[in-house]
Amino acid sequence: MFANCSRTLKKNSNLLNILQRLESTLVIAEHNNETLLPITQNALSAAKKIGGDITVLVAGTKCKPVSELLSKAKDVNRVLVSESDAFKGFLPEAVAPLIIATQKQHNFTHIIAGASAFGKALLPRVAANLDVSPVSEIIDIKSSDTFVRTIYAGNAIQTVKSKDSIKVVSVRGTSFEAAPLEGGSAKVEEAPAGDYNTDKAVFVGQELTKSDRPELTAAKVVVSGGRGMKSADNFKILFNLADKLNAAVGASRAAVDAGYCANDMQVGQTGKIVAPDLYIAIGISGAIQHLAGMKDSKTIVAINKDPDAPIFQVSDYGLVQDLFKAVPELTDKV
C-alpha cells in the first residue's frame, strides 16, 4: 500500500515538473529607454514562480542599455528588443500590436506586466485582441493557472483559476520580491518586425517631476499627509521630516483633491500602491481607499489628533496629538 502511494506521488511530481517545463512567459519590460523601472523586476519574480522559459520584451526608441541589463537576470532565457519611433511615449496603441505579433510567433502560455499605469493601459488591449480575460493585480501565484488578487479595496482575497489558453496577468509590485539583475546570460534578439505606428493616438510630450527624494513606490520609508495638513504650505513640515529620513512623500486622495500636493503623490486604490519598511501617516483619517494602497507596509505609524480615526486600526504605533506640534518635535529628534 505504502509503495503504491509512493509511486503515485512520484508520478504526480514528475507530471508537475513536465507541465512546468512546458510553460513559457513573456514579461513586458517597463523602462524609460535608459533605466529599467523596478516593477519589471517584480514581474520577473512572478514569472519565475510560474516556471518554464522566460522571455522579456523591450520596446522603445534607444533601449539597448535596458535589454543588456535584463539579459543578465538569472533564469531569463531570451530578451527580445524592438526599437522604433512608433514607441515614443510608450503608447499602448503602438506597443500592444507588437506584443500580439510576438505572441503569434512564439506562442507563450503567459503574458505578464506590472500593474502600473503602463501595464493597466496595455494589458486589457492585449487580452481583448487575444480574446481572453485578463487577471489583474495579482498578489500571489498558486499554480500556472491559479492566481490570488484582492477585491473590495483589499478587504477580501479572491483566488482565480483561468481556463484561457493564454494567461494575461498584471502583477502588483509590492507583493513580489524584485528579481536581481545578475547571474544570467540570456540571448538578445530582435522582436518581430512590423509597422507599429498608430493614428489612434499621438505622443506630444511629457513633463516629469524631478526630486532628490526616493521614488514613491520603491522607497523604504514613506511619509504621507492627509486633509489634516490643512494647506499646501504645511506640507513643508512633511518634506523636512522626509529629508531627515531619506523618505519619499505621499498623500491621501483628500489632500490631492484639496490641491495640497501633486496627484503623482497620491497613495491609495486610485493612486500608487506602496509597501515600504516604514510608513508614517500624518493627518490621515484612514479611509478604505487609502488603506488599500499602504496597508501592506511592514511598520505603520499614525499621527492624528482624532483618537477614533480608522488609521489607528491598522497602525503598529499611534500618536494622538496635534500634528503641527508632534511632527516638528519628531523632526528635531531624528
Side-chain angles (χ1 to χ4, degrees):
M1 176 179 172
F2 291 108
N4 289 337
C5 289
S6 177
R7 282 195 294 270
T8 301
L9 288 172
K10 186 175 181 180
K11 182 178 179 181
N12 289 338
S13 177
N14 290 338
L15 179 60
L16 179 61
N17 290 334
I18 292 170
L19 290 174
Q20 285 184 328
R21 286 198 296 271
L22 292 175
E23 307 292 349
S24 58
T25 302
L26 177 67
V27 177
I28 313 303
E30 189 171 346
H31 59 93
N32 63 6
N33 286 315
E34 296 175 356
T35 58
L36 186 70
L37 298 189
I39 198 166
T40 303
Q41 292 173 254
N42 305 123
L44 279 174
S45 289
K48 291 179 184 182
K49 199 164 184 179
I50 291 171
D53 290 343
I54 298 174
T55 299
V56 183
L57 176 63
V58 182
T61 50
K62 296 178 180 179
C63 53
K64 286 186 178 178
V66 175
S67 62
E68 290 171 359
L69 182 64
L70 282 164
S71 69
K72 298 175 184 177
K74 189 178 180 181
D75 298 325
V76 171
N77 302 89
R78 176 172 47 195
V79 177
L80 299 177
V81 185
S82 182
E83 292 190 341
S84 169
D85 287 341
F87 303 129
K88 280 185 178 178
F90 308 102
L91 298 175
E93 293 86 352
V95 180
L98 169 64
I99 296 173
I100 300 302
T102 305
Q103 171 62 25
K104 287 180 178 177
Q105 185 176 97
H106 296 280
N107 296 313
F108 299 102
T109 59
H110 296 74
I111 299 175
I112 288 182
S116 59
F118 171 76
K120 290 175 181 179
L122 180 64
L123 290 190
R125 295 175 182 273
V126 173
N129 274 279
L130 296 174
D131 195 26
V132 300
S133 297
V135 183
S136 60
E137 288 203 55
I138 66 165
I139 61 172
D140 196 10
I141 297 172
K142 295 293 186 183
S143 66
S144 62
D145 63 355
T146 306
F147 310 96
V148 181
R149 59 190 299 271
T150 61
I151 56 174
Y152 303 126
N155 286 314
I157 304 294
Q158 182 182 61
T159 300
V160 180
K161 184 170 184 176
S162 173
K163 294 185 177 181
D164 289 317
S165 58
I166 306 168
K167 280 73 173 175
V168 177
V169 180
S170 66
V171 173
R172 180 173 288 189
T174 56
S175 299
F176 294 86
E177 293 290 332
L181 300 176
E182 58 185 11
S185 57
K187 297 180 292 184
V188 179
E189 304 174 3
E190 292 293 324
D195 182 9
Y196 299 112
N197 289 290
T198 176
D199 57 2
K200 296 178 181 178
V202 177
F203 176 70
V204 177
Q206 63 183 3
E207 294 181 10
L208 300 176
T209 303
K210 293 184 179 180
S211 175
D212 293 331
R213 298 186 184 90
E215 202 280 323
L216 188 56
T217 56
K220 293 182 181 293
V221 181
V222 174
V223 177
S224 282
R227 195 198 303 271
M229 298 305 300
K230 296 184 178 179
S231 73
D233 288 340
N234 288 334
F235 258 77
K236 293 176 183 177
I237 300 173
L238 301 191
F239 294 144
N240 292 336
L241 177 59
D243 289 340
K244 284 282 192 77
L245 297 172
N246 190 31
V249 178
S252 68
R253 179 171 180 171
V256 171
D257 288 347
Y260 298 167
C261 53
N263 59 10
D264 63 352
M265 294 170 60
Q266 182 178 326
V267 173
Q269 186 179 15
T270 54
K272 294 180 178 179
I273 307 295
V274 300
D277 293 337
L278 174 62
Y279 187 88
I280 305 177
I282 300 172
I284 294 175
S285 62
I288 291 174
Q289 190 273 345
H290 184 75
L291 298 183
M294 48 65 72
K295 65 182 181 181
D296 289 334
S297 303
K298 292 181 176 62
T299 302
I300 301 172
V301 176
I303 301 175
N304 200 300
K305 66 180 180 181
D306 179 9
D308 297 321
I311 190 69
F312 289 122
Q313 297 176 13
V314 299
S315 63
D316 298 287
Y317 302 94
L319 176 61
V320 180
Q321 193 174 5
D322 185 341
L323 69 89
F324 296 106
K325 179 182 178 182
V327 177
E329 288 182 3
L330 178 61
T331 303
D332 288 340
K333 292 180 180 180
V334 171

